[in-house]
Amino acid sequence: MDRDALAGFLVSRRNSLQPSDVGLVTGARRRTAGLRREEVAQLATMSTDYYTRLEQKRGPQPSTQMLAALARALRLTPDERDYMYRVAGHSAPDRVVGSDYIAPGLLRVLDRLTGTPALILSALGETLVQNDSARALFGDVSHLTGFERSAIYRWFTRPDEERRRYPEDDHDRQSRAQVASLRAAYGVMGARSRAGEMVRELCRRSEEFASLWETHLVSRRFEDHKTLVHPELGPIEVDCQALFTEDETQVLLVLTAAPRTDAAAKIELLNVLGTQQMNPSRE
């Protein structure tokens, strides 16, 4: 671990960013040239003291999980991320297989989408980050780990929970779409990749998946008109639009409702109430 190089790099990247670059509000009396240390710590979900020690060349070697969080917080490019890993004493992660890194360009767009549900997904359907509206609509999945992070995996292994967000008459179509999307990722990543591991695990755990996998459906369908079922607000009709990274390993999915519709009103209510439990009878 090169403490001097890591500390210098973190300070340089922090100073090069403005609050608006990462979706934060700039205060009227702000004197800091770039981001404050506590802001970087907040974005990376770590303590300010821990981050400060890294910048002061006296912290412990950060784990790969900590480095992934810092790469997201500081909006690092793939080359910058790889450099940070190496000076921190770790090997650079695989750019295709790794799912903790999030493309800075997608994050910048997501930061500006505050009025409609939006989330960034990996090629395996893993939710990498959600805005508040998406958390209110889909639920907060940030605590999930391993294959459970993938909506594809959960669709077949936790159907009673995952499929409640879709009308029952749309379940078959969604099952085919999930399998087709994983087949597309499998074709890119290969049988010995994490995609291959997920396929083998799903074939073992789900007869439905195993049967659909044998049909060799291939598709990366994100743009769609669908109905989602919120546990409190009921059905919400949305249009889905997708923005891919250049290598197509990640996608920003934005859900919108037609103006002046019941669905649009429900999304506005989600934005007001956030992830709070909505109970009409509560006074």
Side-chain angles (χ1 to χ4, degrees), residues 1 5 22 35 107 249:
M1 176 180 173
V22 295
L35 295 180
L107 277 173
T249 59

Side-chain angles (χ1 to χ4, degrees), residues 165-242:
R165 300 192 182 276
Y166 289 84
E168 187 172 353
D169 60 6
D170 195 33
H171 288 184
D172 288 344
R173 183 177 74 100
Q174 289 297 326
S175 291
R176 292 192 299 273
Q178 301 283 19
V179 172
S181 180
L182 181 54
R183 172 73 73 173
Y186 179 89
V188 173
M189 300 169 69
R192 301 179 66 181
S193 68
R194 195 157 179 269
E197 293 175 9
M198 183 181 293
V199 168
R200 289 186 289 275
E201 181 66 10
L202 283 173
C203 285
R204 184 182 69 83
R205 296 191 56 177
S206 170
E207 292 184 4
E208 179 190 9
F209 176 87
S211 176
L212 287 171
W213 186 253
E214 292 304 315
T215 64
H216 291 267
L217 295 167
V218 184
S219 174
R220 300 192 68 177
R221 181 183 61 83
F222 285 101
E223 297 186 353
D224 190 13
H225 179 84
K226 65 175 67 175
T227 298
L228 297 171
V229 182
H230 188 273
E232 299 292 337
L233 299 180
I236 305 176
E237 288 190 44
V238 295
D239 291 305
C240 305
Q241 297 296 324

Side-chain angles (χ1 to χ4, degrees), residues 13-35:
R13 289 301 304 143
R14 176 170 63 83
N15 288 336
S16 71
L17 292 172
Q18 295 298 315
S20 59
D21 296 333
V22 295
L24 299 177
V25 178
T26 303
R29 298 183 179 181
R30 189 178 188 88
R31 297 179 181 178
T32 306
L35 295 180

Side-chain angles (χ1 to χ4, degrees), residues 1-180:
M1 176 180 173
D2 188 334
R3 295 180 184 275
D4 289 345
L6 178 61
F9 178 74
L10 292 175
V11 172
S12 173
R13 289 301 304 143
R14 176 170 63 83
N15 288 336
S16 71
L17 292 172
Q18 295 298 315
S20 59
D21 296 333
V22 295
L24 299 177
V25 178
T26 303
R29 298 183 179 181
R30 189 178 188 88
R31 297 179 181 178
T32 306
L35 295 180
R36 300 187 178 103
R37 285 171 174 168
E38 58 266 28
E39 290 171 335
V40 174
Q42 175 189 348
L43 291 167
T45 61
M46 63 179 61
S47 72
T48 301
D49 177 68
Y50 180 88
Y51 177 76
T52 299
R53 283 186 286 150
L54 290 177
E55 282 200 0
Q56 293 177 344
K57 311 174 189 178
R58 57 187 182 88
Q61 182 185 32
S63 66
T64 56
Q65 290 81 8
M66 285 291 191
L67 293 173
L70 285 171
R72 291 194 299 270
L74 295 171
R75 305 303 194 255
L76 301 185
T77 67
D79 289 339
E80 290 170 334
R81 178 203 60 171
D82 292 353
Y83 172 81
M84 182 180 67
Y85 269 72
R86 291 182 179 117
V87 297
H90 294 282
S91 298
D94 190 307
R95 294 196 183 192
V96 175
V97 178
S99 61
D100 288 328
Y101 176 76
I102 304 175
L106 294 188
L107 277 173
R108 285 193 293 271
V109 178
L110 180 67
D111 289 337
R112 288 157 175 77
L113 295 172
T114 58
T116 192
L119 57 161
I120 297 176
L121 304 171
S122 74
L124 297 181
E126 298 158 307
T127 300
L128 305 180
V129 63
Q130 307 163 279
N131 65 8
D132 290 339
S133 294
R135 278 189 288 272
L137 181 59
F138 292 106
D140 188 351
V141 298
S142 60
H143 63 285
L144 298 177
T145 60
F147 288 148
E148 291 288 337
R149 296 176 65 191
S150 169
I152 301 172
Y153 185 82
R154 297 195 306 272
W155 182 265
F156 293 100
T157 60
R158 294 161 57 174
D160 291 342
E161 177 181 338
E162 194 70 16
R163 301 188 186 191
R164 288 182 299 177
R165 300 192 182 276
Y166 289 84
E168 187 172 353
D169 60 6
D170 195 33
H171 288 184
D172 288 344
R173 183 177 74 100
Q174 289 297 326
S175 291
R176 292 192 299 273
Q178 301 283 19
V179 172

